[in-house]
Amino acid sequence: MAKHVKRAYLYRFYPTEEQATALSRTFGCVRKVYNLALHARSEAWTLRRERVGYNATSAMLTAWKKTPELAYLKEVSSVPLQQALRHLNAAFIAFWNKHAGYPRFKSRKKSRASAEYTRAAFRWRNGELTLAKMAEPLHIVWSRPLPDGAEPTTVTVSRDSAGRWFVSLLVETAAQTLPPATGAVGIDAGLDHLVALSTGEKVANPRHGRRDMDRLARAQRALARKTKGSANRAKAARRVARIHARIADRRRDVLHKLSTRLVRENQTLVIEDLAVRNMVKNHRLARAISDAAWRKFRTMLEYKAAWYGRNLVVVDRWYPSSKLCSACGVLAGELPLDVRAWTCVGCGTRHDRDVNAAKNLLAAGRAVTVCGDDVRPQQGFSPLRRSSAKQETQPVRVGIPSLREGRTSRDRRTRQRSYPPGAEGARFELAQGGP
């Protein structure tokens, strides 16, 4: 039986003036309902220790529409409003499970303007999409076709800060598993190069943000000179947003092409579990790390490996891949970031820092993908003390392989751990169940 997966196809579209007005009104109503429900749930828990779920907020929405102040909520489709309540409920569930912080109120200026339509709120006919309470279909630029016979189950309309309109069509299609490949590759993310592979190949870092830094700085200075609330300031803000959008689009394009190539060429891909949230706290490297978009690259590898039947192995972040000799296994001493090449004291092999790390990651990944492996965390090195195990679900997280002698006491120092953020307000007590 063929495996089915859900995939979202993103397209740009150009609304008419009437459609743009209706969608902007819908975005505002979605934001208003989300904020009202968040306030109601927080207030109920703070004052009365009462838990309010989705069903209760849905009943509140019906009552809000009957009030004179919120009667305008009836002018838009009710489906995006209900979806906003479901998204809020999902945000609370993520908070209770300690996967995210406490839900925040949506801002008109900073939050993403979007609305989600389920199957009952749009019509899909002959390749044309018509949303609820609209007479004409959307003018979509079909940059690529949908899979044969696929029909969207959910439609999400959004507008970015640069004024561009996008529609995302969620469809369910059969998984396109690629033929089995024989290759395996270790991938080490970096800043001098975007990634270094265990094969010795290095992919250049385009540094899109640095290339447009001067242009962005001029646009931001022009924005700062404009009077707040003026039309010229709004135009200047759109120019800044267009530069940011250009940078993000080019970065995403490079990451998509690289991740797709690696998934197609290799059956097993091994990466390191980087704590990007902690690493960007280094203000000297934060801009460069954000420009490299390591987390985005890993996300692409994860879902593409799941789509095409590849194996993605994630090596523990405490694994000393850079300081471990890939030839003899001796662990080097102190190795600052400015040292890009070093010589092993055990065998005399000259190593490129990044390529050597990629080779060690590949070796660690292969160790746990073989049943009955003998991989164990290094004694006294990792505070996690996790042993490797063969897992069926991807990605596989592995511990630290045993190393040969040669490390010093300074190598036993631990790194800062990353924990999920807690609630921003102390009044919301997770231990008692949450709002």
Side-chain angles (χ1 to χ4, degrees):
M1 185 176 182
K3 178 182 176 182
H4 286 75
V5 296
K6 291 185 177 181
R7 300 181 61 173
Y9 290 79
L10 185 67
Y11 302 95
R12 190 172 179 180
F13 76 98
Y14 297 87
T16 63
E17 184 176 351
E18 293 78 9
Q19 290 174 341
T21 302
L23 290 174
S24 298
R25 186 185 301 113
T26 302
F27 296 158
C29 292
V30 166
R31 183 177 61 251
K32 181 68 173 180
V33 169
Y34 186 96
N35 290 341
L36 287 174
L38 175 56
H39 175 74
R41 294 182 67 150
S42 301
E43 185 180 55
W45 177 255
T46 304
L47 301 180
R48 303 182 298 274
R49 288 299 187 267
E50 176 186 352
R51 296 189 62 175
V52 177
Y54 164 75
N55 293 332
T57 55
S58 180
M60 292 179 186
L61 175 59
T62 303
W64 293 335
K65 292 181 178 180
K66 297 179 181 179
T67 61
E69 298 81 5
L70 300 176
Y72 61 86
L73 295 177
K74 296 186 291 186
E75 298 176 3
V76 302
S77 173
S78 62
V79 172
L81 307 184
Q82 294 289 345
Q83 291 299 102
L85 299 180
R86 291 188 175 93
H87 293 164
L88 177 61
N89 192 62
F92 271 108
I93 294 176
F95 168 68
W96 295 333
N97 295 333
K98 298 183 180 181
H99 294 160
Y102 194 84
R104 299 182 180 182
F105 291 97
K106 291 185 178 293
S107 169
R108 180 176 63 87
K109 295 183 179 180
K110 297 181 180 180
S111 299
R112 177 171 177 259
S114 65
E116 186 176 279
Y117 296 80
T118 58
R119 196 65 182 88
F122 66 87
R123 183 174 68 248
W124 174 261
R125 184 178 300 171
N126 299 327
E128 293 185 339
L129 177 66
T130 306
L131 301 178
K133 298 205 172 185
M134 290 187 183
E136 300 178 1
L138 300 181
H139 177 51
I140 301 176
V141 179
W142 298 102
S143 54
R144 55 175 175 168
L146 289 177
D148 294 337
E151 292 190 2
T153 57
T154 304
V155 172
T156 302
V157 181
S158 60
R159 183 189 60 214
D160 65 6
S161 55
R164 303 180 300 178
W165 295 84
F166 295 94
V167 57
S168 177
L169 307 179
L170 183 66
V171 301
E172 184 173 351
T173 62
Q176 301 175 358
T177 304
L178 294 175
T182 58
V185 64
I187 306 171
D188 179 70
L191 296 179
D192 287 345
H193 294 83
L194 186 59
V195 295
L197 306 181
S198 56
T199 58
E201 178 187 356
K202 288 187 175 182
V203 179
N205 187 357
R207 303 181 187 271
H208 297 296
R210 178 180 293 185
R211 290 168 58 185
D212 280 354
M213 188 178 299
D214 294 339
R215 182 183 178 189
L216 179 61
R218 288 194 299 270
Q220 289 175 330
R221 287 195 296 267
L223 173 63
R225 291 193 294 266
K226 302 296 186 293
T227 304
K228 292 185 177 181
S230 64
N232 286 335
R233 185 178 178 86
K235 294 178 183 178
R238 283 194 294 271
R239 283 194 290 269
V240 173
R242 282 197 292 268
I243 297 175
H244 279 296
R246 180 171 180 264
I247 295 173
D249 289 344
R250 292 188 300 168
R251 180 188 299 124
R252 191 182 306 110
D253 180 69
V254 169
L255 294 180
H256 269 300
K257 291 177 179 178
L258 176 60
S259 59
T260 300
R261 177 173 73 88
L262 293 177
V263 169
R264 289 183 180 277
E265 294 177 354
N266 301 277
Q267 182 65 33
T268 302
L269 303 97
V270 187
I271 60 176
E272 186 178 7
D273 183 19
L274 298 174
V276 179
R277 178 179 298 175
N278 286 343
M279 299 174 74
V280 295
K281 294 179 182 178
N282 183 339
H283 298 295
R284 295 186 177 183
L285 298 177
R287 186 190 295 271
I289 293 174
S290 300
D291 196 16
W294 292 339
R295 178 67 237 189
K296 186 68 175 178
F297 178 63
R298 171 175 170 175
T299 301
M300 291 180 180
L301 289 178
E302 288 176 345
Y303 71 75
K304 290 180 181 180
W307 282 352
Y308 300 120
R310 301 311 197 203
N311 303 319
L312 180 65
V313 181
V314 181
V315 175
D316 192 281
R317 69 185 59 168
W318 312 104
Y319 179 59
S321 58
S322 297
K323 299 193 295 182
L324 179 65
C325 177
S326 58
C328 67
V330 171
L331 188 64
E334 193 69 18
L335 199 63
L337 289 176
D338 58 344
V339 177
R340 309 314 304 172
W342 57 280
T343 303
C344 176
V345 297
C347 62
T349 304
R350 183 72 174 174
H351 292 294
D352 179 278
R353 180 193 184 105
D354 299 329
V355 175
N356 176 70
K359 292 180 179 179
N360 287 324
L361 290 175
L362 176 59
R366 280 174 167 169
V368 296
T369 54
V370 178
C371 296
D373 68 299
D374 190 25
V375 180
R376 295 292 183 271
Q378 180 186 3
Q379 183 68 24
F381 184 87
S382 171
L384 297 183
R385 300 291 181 89
R386 294 183 293 183
S387 61
S388 66
K390 176 68 175 179
Q391 302 179 16
E392 296 300 330
T393 57
Q394 300 295 335
V396 178
R397 297 183 179 274
V398 303
I400 300 177
S402 58
L403 309 175
R404 297 188 181 182
E405 296 298 329
R407 66 179 187 271
T408 63
S409 59
R410 301 182 65 182
D411 297 323
R412 298 188 179 97
R413 294 179 298 180
T414 59
R415 308 175 188 176
Q416 184 180 4
R417 297 181 63 181
S418 175
Y419 296 92
E424 293 184 0
R427 64 183 184 276
F428 303 111
E429 304 170 10
L430 177 62
Q432 301 186 23

